Amino acid sequence: MIDHASAHVAVAGLTKRFGAATVLDRIDLEVARGALVTLLGPSGCGKTTLLRLIAGLAAPDEGRVSIAGTDVTRTPPHKRNVGVVFQSYALFPHLDVGGNVGFGLSGKGLAKEAIAAKITRALDLVQMGRFKDRPVTALSGGQQQRVALARALAVEPNVLLFDEALSALDRTLRETMQVELRRLLKDLGATAIFVTHDQDEALTMSDQIAVMNAGRIEQFADPLGVYAEPKTLFTMRFVGISSELRGKVVARAGGEVRVETAIGAVAARGDQPIGADVVVATRPEHVRIGGEAGANDNQTEGRIRQITFQGSRTRLVLDVAGADFVVEIGGVGELPVLGQSVPLRWPVARSFAFAEPKAVA
């Protein structure tokens, strides 16, 4: 049961349709004060639409939105006291840095001195104070992103909303900004909601992640829980890599199922009924090559058909009973050989059984 009264941002039964298409289907979500929450999912899953409904940039067909304990479902965006940072940054090229940061303050009836002080504080927070009089067109992508953040912070919003705000940056700068932005927001005690399709960004920046698919939230948990304890096959596949076998449940007991697959019987965590078609999945880093399998391990053999060196790790794709099975090992040391057949083992405790998805007609 979600306690919307205690949440800093809460949505209840939120539904949005565009014509015959339902892009959000009765979404419930609460964000605690000071939490950093990411809406993570593929294109078309509804994450940006949900952010726009929270911001007031679109209206729901059903449900309600509350911010700081106030129902704002029908409140226009400029009265919701939210700060939005867009993917494009949406900076005004005819204004300098200070003018961009102060733009949202101009209609609040503040004295010039008060506006100047807020601009200075916001720029100092993002380490851009010395660029106050510089044209935004003379800034790098990372600097423009900081200015967009400063503009959002200057209005002292109840909640900050980030719509793919880091996606335009190159990889190295993006990874640096992820760490810096998280540190800044935690230092400020800010409540923030991010939208991204980048799994690494979500895992790095979030206190909690809402994994979205087809207009619904598949799982809402902390990053470790989403990655290490996936509740659905979609989450298992979308957040990280999944090594999978297919089969039919032949026994179940104590929160585990025994599944007959193309390699024989394997065990996994699950509660599907006997006779159910399931996918048994594990993470590639849990699979070991060689060594003796223990009583609580699954085991098989695979032939290496692809080796990809990635620096600190090496990804192997093996043929296991005619299907691809991914294994990750440390990148330093002697590597296996293409075509080599090797024994594999992985713990039952890190194996998950999910219902086989229904075929789409």
Side-chain angles (χ1 to χ4, degrees):
M1 182 71 177
I2 294 177
D3 183 4
H4 295 289
S6 65
H8 191 60
V9 179
V11 302
L14 214 58
T15 298
K16 181 65 178 178
R17 304 180 188 91
F18 292 115
T22 299
V23 294
L24 287 179
D25 189 6
R26 294 167 294 178
I27 293 286
D28 289 322
L29 178 70
E30 66 169 2
V31 178
R33 182 180 295 276
L36 309 183
V37 170
T38 295
L39 309 178
L40 174 67
S43 298
C45 71
K47 57 187 185 295
T48 296
T49 299
L50 177 53
L51 195 81
R52 289 174 59 82
L53 294 181
I54 294 171
L57 301 175
D61 294 303
E62 299 172 20
R64 66 180 188 273
V65 179
S66 299
I67 298 176
T70 300
D71 188 333
V72 296
T73 310
R74 304 302 169 190
T75 302
H78 66 281
K79 293 185 178 181
R80 293 194 183 196
N81 194 25
V82 299
V84 185
V85 181
F86 297 100
Q87 178 180 355
S88 64
Y89 310 142
L91 299 178
F92 301 108
H94 64 287
L95 297 177
D96 60 17
V97 168
N100 270 278
V101 174
F103 183 81
L105 300 169
S106 57
K108 292 186 176 293
L110 299 173
K112 282 187 176 181
E113 295 78 9
I115 291 176
K118 288 180 180 291
I119 291 172
T120 298
R121 179 176 181 273
L123 286 172
D124 286 345
L125 283 172
V126 299
Q127 302 175 27
M128 288 288 289
R130 63 191 178 94
F131 295 93
K132 179 180 177 182
D133 299 319
R134 186 168 297 188
V136 292
T137 53
L139 303 179
S140 68
Q143 290 169 333
Q144 290 184 7
Q145 198 273 345
R146 291 171 190 263
V147 174
L149 174 58
R151 181 174 62 188
L153 291 171
V155 299
E156 299 177 357
N158 274 321
V159 60
L160 284 160
L161 307 176
F162 295 83
D163 186 9
E164 301 273 10
L166 304 181
S167 63
L169 304 178
D170 64 69
R171 179 179 176 180
T172 301
L173 180 56
R174 184 168 67 248
E175 290 175 349
T176 299
M177 286 301 300
Q178 288 169 7
V179 175
E180 289 187 6
L181 181 56
R182 176 176 170 83
R183 182 186 304 119
L184 172 61
L185 295 175
K186 296 307 285 187
D187 286 346
L188 292 173
T191 304
I193 301 174
F194 307 92
V195 160
T196 187
H197 62 273
D198 187 319
Q199 307 160 24
D200 292 336
E201 182 176 311
L203 293 171
T204 298
M205 299 188 65
S206 311
D207 295 324
Q208 292 175 297
I209 299 172
V211 181
M212 295 188 63
N213 178 37
R216 295 185 177 184
I217 293 176
E218 295 266 336
Q219 186 169 350
F220 185 50
D222 61 72
L224 180 60
V226 166
Y227 184 82
E229 299 287 336
K231 302 303 181 187
T232 68
L233 182 59
F234 178 86
T235 298
M236 182 81 191
R237 289 173 171 173
F238 191 79
V239 185
I241 297 173
S242 176
S243 297
E244 300 175 1
L245 298 166
R246 283 169 169 75
K248 191 179 294 288
V249 175
V250 294
R252 71 170 185 171
E256 290 185 2
V257 291
R258 192 162 185 81
V259 181
E260 192 63 37
T261 73
I263 66 167
V266 298
R269 293 164 57 185
D271 61 358
Q272 291 83 5
I274 292 173
D277 293 321
V278 297
V279 176
V280 176
T282 191
R283 297 293 186 196
E285 65 270 22
H286 294 313
V287 184
R288 297 289 180 263
I289 294 177
E292 186 174 347
N296 295 316
D297 287 339
N298 291 310
Q299 59 182 316
T300 188
E301 186 176 89
R303 183 177 59 82
I304 299 172
R305 68 173 194 81
Q306 181 178 318
I307 300 175
T308 305
F309 178 70
Q310 298 179 317
S312 61
R313 63 185 180 184
T314 297
R315 182 169 296 166
L316 311 175
V317 178
L318 296 94
D319 183 332
V320 173
D324 288 347
F325 198 82
V326 184
V327 177
E328 285 187 354
I329 60 176
V332 180
E334 186 176 351
L335 296 178
V337 179
L338 277 175
Q340 180 182 1
S341 291
V342 294
L344 305 174
R345 58 188 171 89
W346 66 98
V348 172
R350 297 269 61 101
S351 305
F352 303 91
F354 301 103
E356 176 78 54
K358 296 180 179 178
V360 178

